[in-house]
Amino acid sequence: MDRRIVRMVDMVVLFVHGMGRSPMSGWPMLHHLRRGGLKATSFGYMTSMESFHSIQSRLVERIVAVAATGHYIVVGHSLGGVLLRAALNSLPATAIRPHHIFLLGSPVHPSRLAQRLKNNILYRALAGDCGQMLASPERMNEVGALNEATTSIVGIRGIAATRSLFGEEPNDGVVAVSEASAQWITDQCQVPVVHTLLPSSRCVAEIIREKLIVDEG
C-alpha cells in the first residue's frame, strides 16, 4: 500500500463547529474525509452557557487527548476556528502540534456583523461572551497567529440580508474575505458557498483532502 495513504489513514481530524451550530453541522464533510481514510471526531460547546475562556480550556484538554493518539489535523468553522487558534496557542509545550489547520469562514479580525449586533438583546443572550469577543478588536488580537501550515477556506456567495454590511467586498453572508485573511495564513481558497454551509460542503472536504495529499507527498 502507498505509504502516503497509510499516513492519512492514521491521521485524526478534529472538527470544531461554529456559533449556534452543533458537531452534526460538519457531518457531511467528515463523512467524506472518513471515506478518504481519515478518522474523525468533533468538539461541542454552547455559547449561551459558557464563556469563551471556559470553552477554550475544555478544547485544550480535548486537543491534548487527540494529540496523544498521534498525527492529527484540526478544522474550525467560524467561531470554532477562533477557539482552535486560542486553544492551540495555549497548548502545553509537551503536546504534539497539529499537522495542518483548516479555518472555514473563520474571522481573524473583529467581525463586522458581531460589532453591529453586540448590543442586541437576543444576540447577547444566544452568543454570550463569545459574541462579545468576536466584536472586540483587543480580544481578537490577543488570540494570536499560528506557526503551523494554515489554510483559510472562505465563502464568496453573499446573501441579500447582509449586503449593506459588506458592499461589494467578497463575503459569505457572515464573514468578509478580508476578515478571514492574514499574512501568517499559509494559503487561502475561495469557494462559492454561503457561511452556514461551509462545513457541509463537498468541495470544502475535497480541498482539505487535496491539501493533505500534497502535505504527505
Side-chain angles (χ1 to χ4, degrees):
M1 182 180 292
D2 189 326
R3 180 170 177 269
R4 181 181 65 193
I5 300 301
V6 171
R7 292 186 64 184
M8 285 188 65
V9 167
D10 292 336
M11 194 173 294
V12 175
V13 50
L14 172 63
F15 170 68
V16 183
H17 62 84
M19 183 186 297
R21 309 301 303 282
S22 76
M24 287 299 295
S25 65
W27 185 88
M29 173 187 66
L30 297 179
H31 176 70
H32 188 67
L33 293 176
R34 286 190 185 100
R35 292 183 63 185
L38 283 84
K39 303 171 185 176
T41 186
S42 301
F43 173 85
Y45 61 89
M46 292 186 64
T47 56
S48 61
M49 303 291 291
E50 303 176 86
S51 68
F52 184 90
H53 179 71
S54 174
I55 301 171
Q56 175 188 341
S57 297
R58 288 199 301 110
L59 183 53
V60 168
E61 294 178 357
R62 182 62 177 278
I63 293 174
V64 169
V66 170
T69 68
H71 296 295
Y72 69 103
I73 65 169
V74 292
V75 180
H77 175 223
S78 197
L79 173 64
V82 182
L83 285 163
L84 274 173
R85 289 195 295 120
L88 290 171
N89 283 330
S90 301
L91 282 184
T94 54
I96 297 174
R97 305 291 297 183
H99 178 75
H100 202 118
I101 298 156
F102 295 91
L103 304 177
L104 315 182
S106 182
V108 296
H109 304 290
S111 164
R112 270 174 267 178
L113 185 59
Q115 289 178 329
R116 174 172 289 190
L117 296 174
K118 67 179 182 179
N119 294 320
N120 179 278
I121 294 176
L122 182 59
Y123 176 78
R124 291 176 69 91
L126 296 177
D129 178 60
C130 290
Q132 298 303 304
M133 192 271 184
L134 289 174
S136 170
E138 295 77 18
R139 294 180 67 183
M140 286 293 285
N141 186 59
E142 288 173 358
V143 175
L146 296 171
N147 294 320
E148 290 77 25
T150 302
T151 297
S152 173
I153 304 176
V154 293
I156 55 172
R157 180 169 289 175
I159 59 176
T162 56
R163 187 169 298 154
S164 63
L165 186 64
F166 301 113
E168 297 301 316
E169 183 177 356
N171 68 89
D172 62 11
V174 174
V175 175
V177 170
S178 63
E179 293 172 339
S181 304
Q183 289 186 341
W184 54 265
I185 292 176
T186 309
D187 61 338
Q188 185 181 86
C189 302
Q190 298 182 9
V191 294
V193 180
V194 296
H195 187 82
T196 304
L197 298 181
L198 282 169
S200 60
S201 168
R202 184 184 180 93
C203 71
V204 170
E206 286 290 350
I207 289 172
I208 293 174
R209 185 171 179 275
E210 289 172 5
K211 292 290 182 184
L212 293 179
I213 290 175
V214 171
D215 287 349
E216 300 294 340

